[in-house]
Amino acid sequence: MKQLISLFALALTVLSFVACTADYDEFEASHYKVLKNITFEEQDGEASVSEETHIIKVTTVAPPESLETWDSLTIESFSASNLATLHLVDGKFKEFPSDSAALDSLAEEVSYVKKSLKSGSKIRVPKSQVVYLMLVAENGDPAIWKLEIEIPGVEKEEYSSDSKDAKSSSSVKDGASSSSSAKAESSSSKALKTDTDLQLTFKNQFKVARSGDTISIKLASDQKIEDAEVESFKISDGASVSPDPKDVKDWSKAQEIVVTAEDGKTKQTWVVILDVAAEDEKPASTEKDLVSISAKNEIAPANIDSKKNTVVVHLQKEKEIASVELTIKVSESASQNLKAEALDLREPVTMTIMAEDGSTVEWTISADFEEAAVAPRITAMKIAGNDAVIESEGEEGSEKFFIHYDNLDFLTDLTNLEVSGIELSEDAFVEDLEDGEKYDLSFKKVKVSNGFVDQEYEIRAGYQLPNSDFSAISYGDVWHNANQDFTIYKVTSATLVSIGKGKGVQLKTGSAAGKIASGSLYTADFNPKNVGITSLAKTSDWPDGNELVDFGKKFNARPRYLEFLASYDGKKDSCDIYLVLENRTGDKNSERISSDVNKLVASAWYRSTSMNNDGRPNPDVVSISEPDANGMTRIRMKINYGEPLENSPIYNSSAFETTVQSKTGKAINNGMIQGTGDEPVTHIRMVYASSGDGQHYNGISGATLIVDEMRLIY
């Protein structure tokens, strides 16, 4: 009869989604470049994404009272083809086409910021509320996208893709690096420009030259200085000038023109000197070439693109971008307008080269840096005196970082653990984490920064279930099955077997008295209400065998993954392997009262007729290895916190059934309601079953599941 009773193990959980795509070739770099979605922290509702026209429309929440408009948007996440990277466009073009061929052609022509965007990157919002993005496939193929931003209560200004506004507004605050903004830009106040340039043109002008803060202009030889008249002038965007050059009447002496930047504080006094050219003076040159450009402490020569008039200088540290010392050489008779000793390249700047004859050409200058050398990182840490594992997951641009230690004593109090031995990368500092202090490490987030880029880490500590290597099983405290004494192994439903030089647990489906009995192993108590043997044998008394089992043992950790070795000869049956984390108001379900609530916090699920998931793609599985020399396959599943995935096997179970079927009065209510995933974990259900529907006495006799080396990864 013990063999019959071992049928009652049901998988009650679901595995979280881990994206697996076919967007890459096995031997060649991927050419896929589909942008599926993008979300921002300031966004209201879902974005409208048109894959045909390459247009994304996003509506934000209303800006706070302290802001007239959103100066920038912070990327929360984006979904794109595997291995593709997202960038800001920094090139000019006349219009955004609507047909696919023209879009492809434009993407090939327009330049983009080298550094890719990621979660946390800030995109400046121009007055036009239009930003252009470039999605670049692994093989380098680009696809251009138009991002249209709707800000409630804020009117858009007319947009021109070759305007100065379009160019500057499509930049993140750290320019070519395309990552998070400097701390100064993270405040709610709008960043104002500090540019103070002045360009002058006189009627009958012959030559012009600039040197430092002096602008020297020569009129044609037949002109008189007292008749000099300003034809036009240009100052930096948002700046003001005093006096107005057109109001100056006497140019016979040097004039001081003060340009005040948009910020109202930065000022530049320009000295303008007029002269008259000699009759035999050499004609004004039209040359205005950029001969060379370099940056102090650059780690490689600047990239100069003479076709697109762009320059990218390469620096070692991101913090250097805010104050770059450039050495610029232009044509001998030409001049340029930049103050190159402390140039802020956190966003691209425009350099104007002016020939002697007054004609000009504009160049865009930006900077990038070696992220690997300067990205803020935690490089070492101890948790409760143990060296923690530090790792990241995801592609560049969407990486997540984790610190964890997995092997504390079972049921260790995770809410009061000491952190020590913290080591950081160069120039990095960490918030809310100090050496020698104690923290709740069941789950903790911290932010590491270098003053320009922020990186979030998730810290978790945890423990393993006792004897989860399955070299032996200690029956009683955690692991159970329907056998009354698991250590004796008198029945075939759950036995220790040799796996190479070690041991594992074999679960085998059998039959007794014409009924199927699934092999099972679980964190539960079988028949705690002492149902009599006669009633146990009656299917009519127990239509759902789970109601004889008190599922769940005390557990307070929040692991990220479940990993194990397994082999399965199902004979066309299906095995079930699952983990459920719960939040309960009570302890044992067999002692449950009407006011007790069990909430599903997280789950992971595997159901299949084989250990390769029947050869089907399974987004719930992180990895499935090839069988080893002992025929064992290693499977890793991600534990999903919150609502299970659509079509999960948990919805075909009694997991959410809170009304019992048995009318005997001794049925155990194991039902749960859905939680948010943020609740504290109080209990764990872990189940291995050789027949997935064994609770209803369904299965195939002889179906055999072998499991070994179960491990929780935090």
Side-chain angles (χ1 to χ4, degrees):
M1 184 56 66
K2 290 181 180 179
Q3 187 175 16
L4 168 64
I5 297 171
S6 66
L7 60 95
F8 305 118
L10 168 67
L12 298 175
T13 174
V14 61
L15 191 62
S16 78
F17 176 77
V18 177
C20 300
T21 73
D23 280 358
Y24 57 91
D25 300 326
E26 187 172 358
F27 301 106
E28 299 180 357
S30 170
H31 61 276
Y32 287 89
K33 47 184 187 298
V34 177
L35 182 58
K36 302 169 185 176
N37 196 15
I38 187 168
T39 59
F40 298 91
E41 293 181 5
E42 300 81 3
Q43 186 171 321
D44 184 15
E46 296 292 326
S48 169
V49 181
S50 172
E51 294 188 14
E52 182 178 350
T53 62
H54 283 207
I55 294 177
I56 304 171
K57 296 182 179 180
V58 171
T59 300
T60 71
V61 296
E65 293 183 0
S66 58
L67 287 178
E68 294 182 2
T69 184
W70 289 114
D71 185 44
S72 65
L73 298 184
T74 305
I75 295 178
E76 186 173 71
S77 65
F78 64 86
S79 175
S81 296
N82 192 34
L83 303 179
T85 54
L86 191 63
H87 306 257
L88 284 165
V89 169
D90 66 355
K92 299 179 181 180
F93 55 93
K94 293 295 182 183
E95 61 181 359
F96 191 74
S98 58
D99 64 282
S100 59
L103 283 169
D104 291 342
S105 177
L106 178 62
E108 293 290 346
E109 297 173 1
V110 178
S111 61
Y112 58 87
V113 177
K114 180 180 178 182
K115 190 70 180 72
S116 62
L117 296 169
K118 61 183 71 175
S119 176
S121 293
K122 290 185 180 294
I123 295 179
R124 287 195 62 195
V125 180
K127 296 176 182 178
S128 62
Q129 298 176 25
V130 173
V131 174
Y132 289 93
L133 304 172
M134 193 77 78
L135 188 70
V136 182
E138 184 190 19
N139 69 350
D141 288 351
I144 191 169
W145 284 74
K146 182 180 183 181
L147 174 63
E148 297 180 355
I149 303 165
E150 186 73 32
I151 303 176
V154 178
E155 292 186 7
K156 300 179 182 180
E157 293 190 7
E158 189 67 24
Y159 178 82
S160 172
S161 60
D162 61 355
S163 69
K164 190 167 185 177
D165 174 63
K167 185 176 182 181
S168 63
S169 62
S170 294
S171 306
V172 291
K173 280 310 298 174
D174 57 355
S177 68
S178 298
S179 53
S180 301
S181 70
K183 277 194 171 183
E185 284 303 312
S186 64
S187 66
S188 61
S189 60
K190 181 179 178 181
L192 300 178
K193 298 176 183 178
T194 59
D195 300 332
T196 55
D197 190 31
L198 171 65
Q199 296 178 34
L200 280 170
T201 302
F202 282 76
K203 292 180 179 180
N204 301 308
Q205 184 171 302
F206 181 67
K207 286 184 180 181
V208 60
R210 300 166 64 105
S211 178
D213 59 1
T214 301
I215 302 174
S216 300
I217 294 175
K218 287 186 178 182
L219 303 178
S221 60
D222 60 350
Q223 298 297 305
K224 297 179 180 179
I225 293 180
E226 55 265 30
D227 296 330
E229 184 179 349
V230 174
E231 183 174 66
S232 65
F233 70 91
K234 182 180 179 181
I235 59 176
S236 300
D237 284 352
S240 59
V241 63
S242 179
D244 186 320
K246 289 189 175 183
D247 292 338
V248 176
K249 303 301 182 184
D250 184 5
W251 290 102
S252 61
K253 58 182 179 180
Q255 293 288 341
E256 292 186 351
I257 308 294
V258 179
V259 177
T260 303
E262 185 184 33
D263 66 358
K265 299 178 182 179
T266 308
K267 298 178 183 292
Q268 170 67 50
T269 300
W270 293 95
V271 178
V272 182
I273 300 175
L274 253 63
D275 199 356
V276 176
E279 291 184 4
D280 59 350
E281 189 164 339
K282 184 179 178 180
S285 171
T286 60
E287 292 184 0
K288 44 185 176 293
D289 297 328
L290 174 61
V291 177
S292 66
I293 185 170
S294 61
K296 184 178 180 181
N297 299 326
E298 66 183 11
I299 59 174
N303 287 350
I304 302 176
D305 189 332
S306 298
K307 293 183 179 180
K308 298 179 181 178
N309 283 8
T310 60
V311 176
V312 181
V313 296
H314 307 297
L315 305 175
Q316 177 67 41
K317 299 180 180 181
E318 183 175 9
K319 66 180 182 180
E320 295 174 344
I321 293 177
S323 183
V324 183
E325 183 176 334
L326 295 178
T327 299
I328 302 171
K329 185 176 181 181
V330 297
S331 299
E332 184 175 357
S333 58
S335 58
Q336 56 85 19
N337 67 324
L338 291 183
K339 290 183 175 181
E341 68 273 11
L343 197 62
D344 186 349
L345 292 181
R346 284 177 292 180
E347 59 182 65
V349 300
T350 300
M351 175 178 68
T352 301
I353 301 177
M354 181 178 289
E356 271 190 334
D357 69 348
S359 61
T360 61
V361 62
E362 289 188 347
W363 286 75
T364 299
I365 303 177
S366 59
D368 63 13
F369 63 98
E370 285 290 328
E371 181 181 24
V374 300
R377 297 287 185 265
I378 298 175
T379 58
M381 179 185 292
K382 292 181 182 292
I383 295 176
N386 304 284
D387 289 332
V389 175
I390 302 175
E391 59 187 357
S392 65
E393 297 175 0
E395 301 295 332
E396 182 182 359
S398 60
E399 282 183 295
K400 292 185 176 181
F401 288 81
F402 304 90
I403 302 176
H404 59 102
Y405 183 74
D406 305 344
N407 298 306
L408 295 172
D409 292 338
F410 184 57
L411 293 182
T412 292
D413 180 6
L414 305 178
T415 65
N416 192 36
L417 295 177
E418 183 179 78
V419 170
S420 61
I422 303 172
E423 296 181 13
L424 304 174
S425 58
E426 183 181 3
D427 298 325
F429 58 90
V430 61
E431 299 177 4
D432 193 25
L433 197 69
E434 295 184 16
D435 239 271
E437 293 296 321
K438 293 183 177 181
Y439 301 93
D440 181 353
L441 298 187
S442 57
F443 178 69
K444 179 176 179 61
K445 288 185 178 181
V446 299
K447 183 184 293 183
V448 185
S449 179
N450 59 11
F452 289 85
V453 176
D454 297 332
Q455 180 60 61
E456 187 176 76
Y457 280 75
E458 292 184 6
I459 306 176
R460 288 180 174 88
Y463 37 72
Q464 304 301 313
L465 293 176
N467 300 299
S468 58
D469 61 356
F470 299 136
S471 59
I473 296 294
S474 176
Y475 174 72
D477 292 335
V478 176
W479 294 104
H480 287 249
N481 77 342
N483 302 329
Q484 296 302 304
D485 187 349
F486 193 80
T487 60
I488 299 176
Y489 307 116
K490 289 184 177 179
V491 297
T492 60
S493 65
T495 58
L496 282 180
V497 294
S498 296
I499 302 176
K501 296 181 180 180
K503 297 286 187 181
V505 172
Q506 175 181 278
L507 308 171
K508 191 172 185 178
T509 299
S511 63
K515 295 182 177 65
I516 287 294
S518 172
S520 57
L521 179 65
Y522 40 61
T523 58
D525 292 325
F526 177 74
N527 195 19
K529 291 193 173 183
N530 297 313
V531 174
I533 193 72
T534 302
S535 179
L536 284 174
K538 294 180 179 179
T539 304
S540 59
D541 280 359
W542 302 99
D544 186 341
N546 278 352
E547 293 178 3
L548 285 163
V549 184
D550 188 345
F551 284 100
K553 294 290 183 175
K554 288 185 177 180
F555 189 85
N556 306 115
R558 300 177 70 90
R560 289 188 295 134
Y561 296 107
L562 167 66
E563 188 175 275
F564 53 86
L565 286 174
S567 67
Y568 187 55
D569 179 7
K571 305 183 185 304
K572 298 186 179 180
D573 200 351
S574 293
C575 66
D576 264 1
I577 298 170
Y578 77 80
L579 175 151
V580 165
L581 300 178
E582 294 180 71
N583 174 269
R584 297 183 181 178
T585 57
D587 181 14
K588 296 181 179 296
N589 286 329
S590 56
E591 300 171 357
R592 190 168 177 173
I593 60 177
S594 60
S595 60
D596 283 336
V597 177
N598 290 11
K599 291 183 180 180
L600 173 66
V601 178
S603 54
W605 181 284
Y606 188 85
R607 171 180 286 176
S608 180
T609 61
S610 68
M611 283 298 104
N612 68 353
N613 199 50
D614 306 329
R616 300 189 305 267
N618 188 339
D620 296 340
V621 175
V622 175
S623 61
I624 300 179
S625 74
E626 293 296 324
D628 61 18
N630 300 312
M632 302 293 284
T633 297
R634 186 173 298 278
I635 296 178
R636 177 179 285 198
M637 301 193 296
K638 185 171 175 61
I639 300 170
N640 182 55
Y641 285 79
E643 187 173 350
L645 298 176
E646 187 178 0
N647 299 321
S648 164
I650 196 171
Y651 296 116
N652 295 322
S653 74
S654 57
F656 298 112
E657 180 56 64
T658 56
T659 301
V660 297
Q661 298 183 43
S662 175
K663 307 304 181 184
T664 64
K666 289 191 175 183
I668 299 171
N669 180 2
N670 291 292
M672 299 174 288
I673 63 174
Q674 181 63 56
T676 65
D678 297 325
E679 300 89 351
V681 176
T682 62
H683 290 73
I684 186 172
R685 302 187 194 188
M686 185 70 230
V687 173
Y688 294 92
S690 54
S691 291
D693 199 29
Q695 73 183 97
H696 297 125
Y697 318 105
N698 295 321
I700 297 178
S701 183
T704 303
L705 173 66
I706 299 175
V707 294
D708 194 15
E709 296 184 15
M710 171 187 159
R711 187 165 73 102
L712 298 172
I713 302 171
Y714 289 85

